């Protein structure tokens, strides 16, 4: 069975942005001098460093280089109604993917080989779409310099350490909230919540050896059970302490959020209102048809 996915013509970031992302971004913008430091001081240097590093040590995906990955990128961009960034594949043992962009500059996405090795093509597209979500939501304005800013502040004598400590919690809180919006972008591109949740499952405990043995239904049950921890004050405190210093929400929480949103009327209405297939026909709220 093949699925004809919906191209979301005219899709706006705010139509799928997670409420926590909106709130955290508003808070982040209130940090004095952050935007100026990012754009005028860190941005130009960081852009040059990252660009040279990718050209020297990664593979640029294109029509003649890893064309299957290139096609996954182009399809996801068409569905999310966004211009295609550059896509690089980098040899690295830690499964990861990330995005870099400054306003007015060529954005790019990097995917580590170890992540590709444990994912199916659909799941790889979900990862690409997640990174496209950062670009669609304009997260990259703050996302890319977050680690650079903390690093730079930490190595500046006296003031640096104080600044890093003061802003780190706010920056990490924002990044965690932004991830929820990008998981929604991954769902919109794949239009199959099980694909997105499968990626999260494999990030939690996947390997080339174990991936084929993992049970998605069991992981979804695990994600739904995560809410039970919050039924006691102690449980909620433990959850908060566990995530306070993380740059990403824990995988089961992200899976639970996708499970909820995929079942919501907001998601169905978004597909119905924006969805056009390749024959310019409005598609069903489910977002796909059998061929």
């Amino acid at each position: 069975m093949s699925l004809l996915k919906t191209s979301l013509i005219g899709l706006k970031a705010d139509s799928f942005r997670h409420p926590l992302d909106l709130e955290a971004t508003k808070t982040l913008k209130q940090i004095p001098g952050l935007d100026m430091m990012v754009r005028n001081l860190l941005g130009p240097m960081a852009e040059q460093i990252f660009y040279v590093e990718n050209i020297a040590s990664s593979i640029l995906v294109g029509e003649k280089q890893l064309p299957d990955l290139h096609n996954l990128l182009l399809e996801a961009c068409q569905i999310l109604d966004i211009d295609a960034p550059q896509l690089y594949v980098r040899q690295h043992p830690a499964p990861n993917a990330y995005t870099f962009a400054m306003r007015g500059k060529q954005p790019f996405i990097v995917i580590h080989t170890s992540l590709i090795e444990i994912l199916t093509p659909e799941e790889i597209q979900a990862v690409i779409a997640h990174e496209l979500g950062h670009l669609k939501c304009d997260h990259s304005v703050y996302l890319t310099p977050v680690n650079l800013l903390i690093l730079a502040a930490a190595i500046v004598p006296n003031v640096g350490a104080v600044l890093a400590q003061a802003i780190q919690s706010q920056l990490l809180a924002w990044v965690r909230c932004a991830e929820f919006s990008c998981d929604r972008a991954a769902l919109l591109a794949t239009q199959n919540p099980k694909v997105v949740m499968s990626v999260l499952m494999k990030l939690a405990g996947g390997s080339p050896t174990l991936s084929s043995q993992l049970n998605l239904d069991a992981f979804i049950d695990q994600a739904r059970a995560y809410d039970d921890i919050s039924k006691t004050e102690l449980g909620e405190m433990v959850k908060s302490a566990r995530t306070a210093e993380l740059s990403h929400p824990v995988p089961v929480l992200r899976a639970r959020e996708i499970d909820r949103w995929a079942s919501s009327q907001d998601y169905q209405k978004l597909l119905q209102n924006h969805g056009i297939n390749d024959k310019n026909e409005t598609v069903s709220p489910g977002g796909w048809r059998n061929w």
Side-chain angles (χ1 to χ4, degrees):
M1 180 178 68
S2 299
L3 300 180
L4 181 59
K5 290 188 284 190
T6 307
S7 293
L8 303 174
I9 306 303
L11 179 69
K12 303 297 182 184
D14 285 349
S15 64
F16 67 87
R17 196 189 298 265
H18 195 283
L20 291 177
D21 180 9
L22 286 169
E23 182 179 347
T25 300
K26 182 179 180 180
T27 300
L28 189 67
K29 289 181 177 180
Q30 294 174 353
I31 299 177
L34 176 61
D35 191 74
M36 183 187 71
M37 182 180 293
V38 165
R39 299 184 191 283
N40 298 333
L41 299 179
L42 295 178
M45 177 183 67
E47 180 191 25
Q48 191 67 22
I49 291 173
F50 275 95
Y51 179 75
V52 171
E53 179 67 14
N54 275 315
I55 288 293
S57 305
S58 304
I59 298 295
L60 176 60
V61 173
E63 293 181 1
K64 298 180 180 179
Q65 185 70 274
L66 303 175
D68 289 345
L69 291 180
H70 183 62
N71 289 334
L72 291 176
L73 169 67
L74 294 182
E75 183 185 48
C77 289
Q78 179 181 355
I79 293 171
L80 296 176
D81 199 11
I82 186 174
D83 293 335
Q86 292 182 337
L87 174 62
Y88 290 89
V89 173
R90 185 176 181 86
Q91 182 73 38
H92 201 286
N96 194 20
Y98 55 90
T99 303
F100 185 97
M102 299 297 293
R103 279 184 182 164
K105 305 298 183 180
Q106 171 67 55
F108 61 81
I109 295 170
V110 179
I111 302 181
H112 289 175
T113 52
S114 54
L115 181 56
I116 292 175
E117 287 174 358
I118 63 175
L119 301 180
T120 66
E122 278 188 304
E123 292 165 353
I124 293 171
Q125 187 174 60
V127 170
I128 292 172
H130 174 99
E131 299 304 324
L132 291 174
H134 284 306
L135 298 176
K136 187 77 176 181
C137 293
D138 207 19
H139 287 157
S140 51
V141 174
Y142 294 110
L143 180 66
T144 298
V146 160
N147 291 328
L148 293 172
L149 184 58
I150 294 174
L151 177 62
I155 62 177
V156 175
N158 301 324
V159 177
V162 175
L163 178 60
Q165 185 176 6
I167 66 177
Q168 184 171 0
S169 61
Q170 288 178 287
L171 289 170
L172 290 176
W174 172 79
V175 173
R176 290 194 298 272
C177 294
E179 292 300 310
F180 289 132
S181 295
C182 296
D183 287 342
R184 290 182 173 189
L187 175 58
L188 291 173
T190 60
Q191 295 170 21
N192 186 341
K194 289 190 175 181
V195 170
V196 181
M197 288 189 282
S198 181
V199 173
L200 298 169
M201 176 180 65
K202 291 178 179 179
L203 285 173
S207 72
T209 302
L210 297 176
S211 291
S212 63
Q213 305 174 49
L214 294 175
N215 185 306
L216 181 57
D217 290 334
F219 182 72
I220 294 173
D221 290 339
Q222 179 182 335
R224 291 169 179 167
Y226 187 74
D227 279 340
D228 292 339
I229 303 174
S230 302
K231 292 181 179 179
T232 66
E233 184 176 350
L234 177 60
E236 185 60 32
M237 288 174 59
V238 170
K239 283 173 58 177
S240 298
R242 169 70 178 84
T243 59
E245 300 302 318
L246 299 178
S247 62
H248 288 61
V250 292
V252 289
L253 177 57
R254 294 170 64 183
R256 187 205 66 182
E257 286 294 306
I258 282 299
D259 185 36
R260 286 179 172 178
W261 196 59
S263 302
S264 70
Q265 290 187 354
D266 288 343
Y267 171 67
Q268 301 297 329
K269 288 180 180 178
L270 193 156
L271 289 177
Q272 188 174 44
N273 292 340
H274 289 276
I276 302 293
N277 67 16
D278 60 359
K279 295 181 180 179
N280 293 323
E281 298 172 332
T282 302
V283 301
S284 64
W288 54 73
R289 292 178 179 172
N290 295 338
W291 274 357

